């Protein structure tokens, strides 16, 4: 029998990381009025990937260069945060369509961390709830091997933990990547102050090459 700390060190470490991330997110939201180049300073190169869309076609990160990307790690069986966050993303989708940016200068990527249960058919049904496919290359759902996707999430700075009941604990953040593949921002999707307009404003800024 180990101590409580020995048994729970990973979850405790995750908690500390999440607290630090939330503090960073809160700071970015508070400084929303600052200059875009100050809020959206490039952090690092976004990790590259090769995944599959719901039609089984290969999608690479390099194929999306030239577009602003919003990336969200989720799973459709999520009992709490993924559904409302996907609704928020659908609002972003609608606004980007109105501005004629979706599919041409911006793309949304939802990557499942639960590819075993999230089959292509399951994700198509999930995406249909948010009208995710009316614009070619607009909102794309992606799948890959579980270990590979979890490593990709980690490289993005998103923590994923598989629980004993088969569900997943994960950082609930939307990531913003610029047309050159540089990671520009994390949005705390659980923050009630975050809205679609805030995200769309940043996408518009980056789509202009800022």
């Amino acid at each position: 029998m180990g101590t409580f700390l020995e048994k729970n060190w990973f979850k405790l470490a995750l908690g500390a990381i999440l607290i630090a991330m939330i503090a960073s997110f809160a700071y970015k939201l508070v400084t929303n009025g600052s200059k875009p180049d100050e809020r959206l300073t490039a952090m690092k190169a976004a990790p590259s990937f090769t995944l599959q869309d719901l039609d089984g076609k290969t999608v690479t990160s390099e194929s999306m260069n030239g577009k602003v990307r919003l990336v969200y790690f989720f799973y459709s069986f999520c009992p709490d945060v993924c559904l409302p966050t996907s609704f928020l993303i659908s609002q972003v989708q609608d606004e980007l369509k109105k501005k004629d940016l979706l599919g041409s200068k911006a793309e949304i990527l939802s990557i499942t961390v639960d590819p075993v249960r999230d089959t292509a058919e399951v994700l198509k049904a999930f995406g249909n709830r948010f009208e995710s496919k009316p614009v070619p290359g607009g909102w794309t759902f992606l799948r890959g091997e579980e270990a590979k996707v979890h490593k990709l999430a980690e490289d993005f700075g998103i923590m994923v933990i598989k629980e004993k009941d088969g569900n997943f604990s994960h950082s609930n953040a939307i990531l913003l990547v610029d047309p050159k593949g540089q990671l520009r921002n994390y949005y705390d999707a659980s923050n009630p102050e975050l809205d679609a307009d805030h995200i769309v404003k940043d996408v518009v800024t980056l789509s202009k090459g800022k």
Side-chain angles (χ1 to χ4, degrees):
M1 295 291 291
T3 66
F4 174 83
L5 189 61
E6 291 172 336
K7 291 180 178 180
N8 296 276
W9 70 271
F10 190 66
K11 288 187 177 181
L12 291 172
L14 173 61
I17 291 171
L18 291 178
I19 290 171
M21 290 178 68
I22 290 170
S24 175
F25 299 151
Y27 174 78
K28 286 180 178 293
L29 288 173
V30 169
T31 57
N32 187 35
S34 60
K35 296 179 181 179
D37 59 345
E38 294 175 350
R39 291 190 302 102
L40 300 176
T41 301
M43 301 176 182
K44 64 177 182 178
S48 61
F49 61 78
T50 300
L51 298 169
Q52 289 75 46
D53 67 14
L54 301 189
D55 294 320
K57 297 178 181 178
T58 297
V59 176
T60 67
S61 49
E62 288 73 18
S63 67
M64 296 176 193
N65 284 340
K67 293 183 182 180
V68 181
R69 283 146 277 179
L70 292 169
V71 182
Y72 181 53
F73 289 90
F74 85 113
Y75 66 110
S76 70
F77 291 86
C78 178
D80 40 52
V81 297
C82 296
L83 190 61
T85 301
S86 294
F87 176 70
L88 172 62
I89 291 173
S90 74
Q91 294 177 312
V92 173
Q93 171 191 234
D94 293 343
E95 291 304 311
L96 291 177
K97 282 195 290 185
K98 290 177 184 178
K99 296 179 182 297
D100 292 324
L101 292 176
L102 191 68
S104 58
K105 292 189 175 182
E107 186 156 1
I108 300 168
L109 306 174
S110 287
I111 303 174
T112 179
V113 299
D114 186 12
V116 175
R117 291 187 294 179
D118 277 342
T119 62
E121 290 72 22
V122 168
L123 290 182
K124 284 179 181 179
F126 183 84
N128 287 339
R129 300 171 67 178
F130 304 102
E131 299 184 353
S132 64
K133 279 294 184 182
V135 177
W139 185 356
T140 304
F141 287 79
L142 297 175
R143 304 175 66 253
E145 296 178 6
E146 184 176 298
K148 182 178 179 180
V149 171
H150 290 191
K151 179 61 169 59
L152 177 63
E154 180 183 339
D155 290 343
F156 263 108
I158 300 297
M159 297 295 294
V160 180
I161 301 174
K162 189 169 186 177
E163 305 290 355
K164 292 181 179 179
D165 62 2
N167 286 328
F168 297 83
S169 297
H170 62 93
S171 310
N172 190 41
I174 302 170
L175 304 104
L176 178 65
V177 180
D178 71 17
K180 295 181 179 180
Q182 296 293 309
L183 184 61
R184 292 294 193 104
N185 207 352
Y186 291 81
Y187 301 104
D188 177 12
S190 297
N191 189 322
E193 295 184 13
L194 180 66
D195 59 20
D197 289 341
H198 177 84
I199 299 173
V200 170
K201 179 181 177 181
D202 289 345
V203 172
V204 170
T205 296
L206 294 184
S207 71
K208 295 177 180 179
K210 301 294 184 178

